[in-house]
Amino acid sequence: MSAVVQRGPRPRRLSLVTEALVARGGVVLLAVALLLFLTVPLASLLARSLQDRSGEFVGVANFIAYFSSPAFANSAMNTLTFATLTTVFTVPQAFLFAYAIQRSCIPLKGLWRNVAMIPILAPSLLAALSFIYLFGNQGWLKFVIEWLGFTTVYGLPGMVLAMSFASFPHAVMILLAGLALSDARLYEAADSMATPGWRKFLTITLPGARYGLISAALVVFTMAVSEFGVPKVIGGNYSVLAIDIYKQVVGQQNFSMGAVVGLVLLVPAVLAFVIDSAVRRRQKALLTTRSVPYSPRPEAARDVLMLLYVVAVSAVLLLVLGMAVFGSFVKIWPYNLSFTLNHYTYGFEEAGVENAWRNSMVMAAWCALVGAAITFAGAYWLEKTGIEKSPTLGWVRPVAQMQAMMPMAVPGMVLGIGYIVFFNNPDNPFGFLYGTMAILVISTVVHFYSSSHLTALTALKALDNEFESVSASLKVPFYKTFWRVTVPVCLPSVIDISRYYFVNAMTTISAVVFLYSPNTTLAAISILHLDEAGNVGAAAAMATLIVATSAAVTAAFFLAEWWLVVRTQAWRRTARR
């Protein structure tokens, strides 16, 4: 009997060791997956830039040829000008909007916040189409463009307007967070010294929000630098680096020169990412244990001005969205404004929009399901398995973490070209993925992985590591703790990640524009094709359909989240009591 007692614990100890190896093996799998679908394609892009069209090594000859061409200087300067003007135009407006929400007492704050998020549901092409309707050669408000001194909306003016619409919600979200917290004691001290309001704004509010302002500016700048859809639709002859990539790869099938332009486009995005990371490291807490959270007090003049501003901005956002919707339902803009469904009928019956929309739904659904699962599991493996303590695998965690943050600094078009070079290689055993729905899903998940990964890490960091320690002491397998404790507690964040993947999959174009096949054409891609064919009404119809789909699915996600939280997280309500 004693022999039985002695032999009993051994299988259990082996089981625990096996569980630890399996859990830590997940980190290795994550690192390998990111290596295969991110790092290696980018390395292949670099290698391709050093080859000629036939694949022969030519060193930096391609770079010399590109940098010595006048077209490069023109495109590079145009790209920086476009990105800078977009940033200067967008960030101050977003700051005032966020300031009105967080630092005034205007009514219906939730409504205005939701209106500001509307552009996220739409592809950036929608704004370009709307501004063509408003300020184009046949636009109702063409006189405004002429009054401002421009001959046409096509080119830089239209690009800045459309990109500002697309990037506005991203800047607002960052600035809302930057203005959310402040120490009320600073304002009380300023009031005791009779400091005027403008001086408090310059000496307390702006310094407190400076990191948010820098982050918002860098995000908007990076989005503009890497944007392809807006310059393609409303850019006219205004060349930028993203258009150069498209011309080299799709127009001339010159993948070597396309790789060169892609690497050039990568430089400002990486610089912006490095600066943003440095700024975040220097950021200090705005609230300490002794701080008093700031709460705005009613001020009639300020609140009225802020409300008027918020209403005006919200009206512009709704107008831009509404013009695309309106244009999709009129016969011939602007000559025959009678209601028609011809644009939708043409798109579905003649232009293959039905198949494209179905493909987008399938891709978005897979991204929402698989992307959320992989992202949350990957973040769990990095954060909760204790692999950093392993003497043999400890180095894997920082490598995987670095790769998880890389997509944030890689423009979608650069990732797309990397996938072409890597997966279209006949010697690649994974070449069977090229031209399939799978590669569209993989590229989209990788493209938007960083933000989702940070969301999952934030949720997991809120959980005490004692959960895993107690489970291990009770001989509970890690996967049971993960499924019964971690996932239910972090369920709202998991749903947010899934919703984020779905919406971005419906609206993205930059990476997938190089990867789709005739059988996997996507809804956002069909907008480009319809616009190139001169059928602006059908393009507007497709953009409207994407917005309607994204809005409906987003609402469904919110309802699902509410239902699941009610059923699985009653402990939250108990804790509040």
Side-chain angles (χ1 to χ4, degrees):
M1 186 172 183
S2 60
V4 174
V5 173
Q6 292 175 357
R7 289 195 301 269
R10 289 181 182 175
R12 187 63 191 172
R13 289 195 185 98
L14 289 174
S15 177
L16 290 175
V17 171
T18 302
E19 290 173 9
L21 290 176
V22 171
R24 293 177 179 180
V27 183
V28 178
L29 289 176
L30 177 66
V32 171
L34 290 172
L35 181 70
L36 177 62
F37 295 112
L38 176 64
T39 308
V40 174
L42 293 178
S44 301
L45 183 69
L46 175 61
R48 183 67 181 186
S49 69
L50 303 176
Q51 302 171 355
D52 60 14
R53 288 196 177 196
S54 61
E56 297 295 328
F57 180 79
V58 294
V60 296
N62 291 327
F63 288 90
I64 295 174
Y66 185 68
F67 287 132
S68 61
S69 66
F72 162 72
N74 186 48
S75 295
M77 183 59 64
N78 286 350
T79 301
L80 294 177
T81 302
F82 166 52
T84 302
L85 289 178
T86 300
T87 304
V88 171
F89 187 71
T90 305
V91 173
Q93 295 183 72
F95 178 80
L96 286 177
F97 196 96
Y99 182 85
I101 299 293
Q102 298 287 28
R103 298 298 177 88
S104 72
C105 297
I106 62 173
L108 304 175
K109 290 184 178 181
L111 173 63
W112 310 127
R113 186 184 289 111
N114 290 331
V115 171
M117 298 299 111
I118 284 178
I120 292 179
L121 304 177
S124 58
L125 304 173
L126 179 140
L129 295 172
S130 294
F131 284 115
I132 290 175
Y133 279 124
L134 286 169
F135 304 113
N137 296 332
Q138 305 296 332
W140 281 344
L141 302 178
K142 182 184 177 182
F143 66 91
V144 176
I145 292 293
E146 295 174 346
W147 179 73
L148 292 174
F150 299 101
T151 57
T152 178
V153 73
Y154 293 97
L156 185 60
M159 289 168 56
V160 171
L161 289 174
M163 197 64 223
S164 295
F165 175 86
S167 60
F168 182 79
H170 300 274
V172 168
M173 284 190 293
I174 295 172
L175 292 169
L176 282 173
L179 290 168
L181 299 176
S182 186
D183 193 345
R185 296 177 303 169
L186 298 175
Y187 291 91
E188 292 173 357
D191 291 337
S192 67
M193 293 185 289
T195 304
W198 64 268
R199 190 174 181 84
K200 287 189 292 184
F201 179 81
L202 294 177
T203 58
I204 302 176
T205 303
L206 277 182
R210 64 183 180 275
Y211 295 114
L213 281 167
I214 295 173
S215 294
L218 291 173
V219 166
V220 173
F221 183 86
T222 304
M223 289 180 65
V225 164
S226 58
E227 177 62 24
F228 166 73
V230 166
K232 186 71 171 63
V233 172
I234 201 172
N237 296 322
Y238 195 85
S239 62
V240 293
L241 291 174
I243 298 297
D244 283 356
I245 296 176
Y246 186 78
K247 289 179 179 178
Q248 292 292 339
V249 174
V250 177
Q252 303 180 25
Q253 295 291 300
N254 190 344
F255 297 104
S256 297
M257 194 59 70
V260 170
V261 185
L263 292 174
V264 173
L265 184 64
L266 187 62
V267 172
V270 170
L271 287 177
F273 174 76
V274 170
I275 295 172
D276 184 59
S277 299
V279 167
R280 291 179 185 274
R281 285 196 298 269
R282 294 185 60 184
Q283 186 172 4
K284 299 179 181 179
L286 296 177
L287 288 180
T288 64
T289 54
R290 298 181 180 181
S291 298
V292 179
Y294 175 77
S295 180
R297 289 175 293 184
E299 292 183 17
R302 179 204 63 193
D303 293 343
V304 169
L305 290 175
M306 289 291 97
L307 180 60
L308 291 175
Y309 175 77
V310 167
V311 170
V313 172
S314 300
V316 171
L317 295 176
L318 293 174
L319 173 64
V320 174
L321 175 64
M323 279 307 302
V325 177
F326 181 69
S328 70
F329 287 109
V330 300
K331 286 187 176 181
I332 304 175
W333 176 270
Y335 306 107
N336 187 346
L337 302 182
S338 58
F339 177 83
T340 183
L341 293 175
N342 289 345
H343 299 307
Y344 291 88
T345 303
Y346 171 81
F348 276 89
E349 295 182 357
E350 303 292 337
V353 167
E354 180 181 5
N355 184 56
W357 177 77
R358 189 185 300 111
N359 287 338
S360 285
M361 287 290 292
V362 171
M363 187 190 79
W366 276 112
C367 288
L369 181 64
V370 177
I374 292 176
T375 303
F376 189 76
Y380 177 83
W381 289 330
L382 288 176
E383 187 66 23
K384 297 296 185 180
T385 56
I387 191 173
E388 68 276 4
K389 301 176 183 178
S390 172
T392 57
L393 297 176
W395 60 272
V396 177
R397 185 178 189 273
V399 171
Q401 186 69 24
M402 179 188 68
Q403 290 187 109
M405 298 308 298
M406 281 175 60
M408 191 174 291
V410 179
M413 297 201 74
V414 176
L415 183 65
I417 302 175
Y419 271 47
I420 291 179
V421 174
F422 179 62
F423 288 101
N424 201 30
N425 190 324
D427 297 327
N428 189 343
F430 296 96
F432 66 91
L433 291 172
Y434 190 76
T436 65
M437 180 63 70
I439 199 170
L440 297 180
V441 174
I442 293 170
S443 64
T444 303
V445 171
V446 171
H447 184 197
F448 298 104
Y449 188 86
S450 296
S451 297
S452 303
H453 178 74
L454 289 174
T455 301
L457 281 183
T458 302
L460 289 168
K461 286 180 181 293
L463 288 178
D464 197 325
N465 290 331
E466 289 296 320
F467 283 105
E468 282 70 31
S469 301
V470 171
S471 297
S473 66
L474 295 176
K475 306 294 192 287
V476 177
F478 80 94
Y479 54 85
K480 288 188 176 181
T481 305
F482 174 78
W483 185 251
R484 295 182 178 180
V485 178
T486 308
V487 171
V489 171
C490 299
L491 190 60
S493 295
V494 175
I495 296 174
D496 286 342
I497 292 170
S498 185
R499 182 174 61 246
Y500 175 79
Y501 273 126
F502 186 95
V503 172
N504 280 284
M506 286 296 299
T507 59
T508 189
I509 189 174
S510 56
V512 296
V513 73
F514 296 122
L515 302 175
Y516 73 95
S517 68
N519 295 325
T520 58
T521 301
L522 301 175
I525 302 297
S526 68
I527 299 177
L528 276 181
H529 294 165
L530 291 167
D531 179 72
E532 288 176 347
N535 200 329
V536 180
M542 188 71 256
T544 301
L545 188 60
I546 292 176
V547 174
T549 303
S550 299
V553 174
T554 298
F557 267 110
F558 279 119
L559 289 175
E561 180 178 357
W562 171 81
W563 184 79
L564 289 171
V565 167
V566 168
R567 290 182 62 87
T568 64
Q569 301 199 19
W571 60 271
R572 291 184 183 271
R573 297 191 298 276
T574 304
R576 291 192 187 103
R577 295 172 186 170

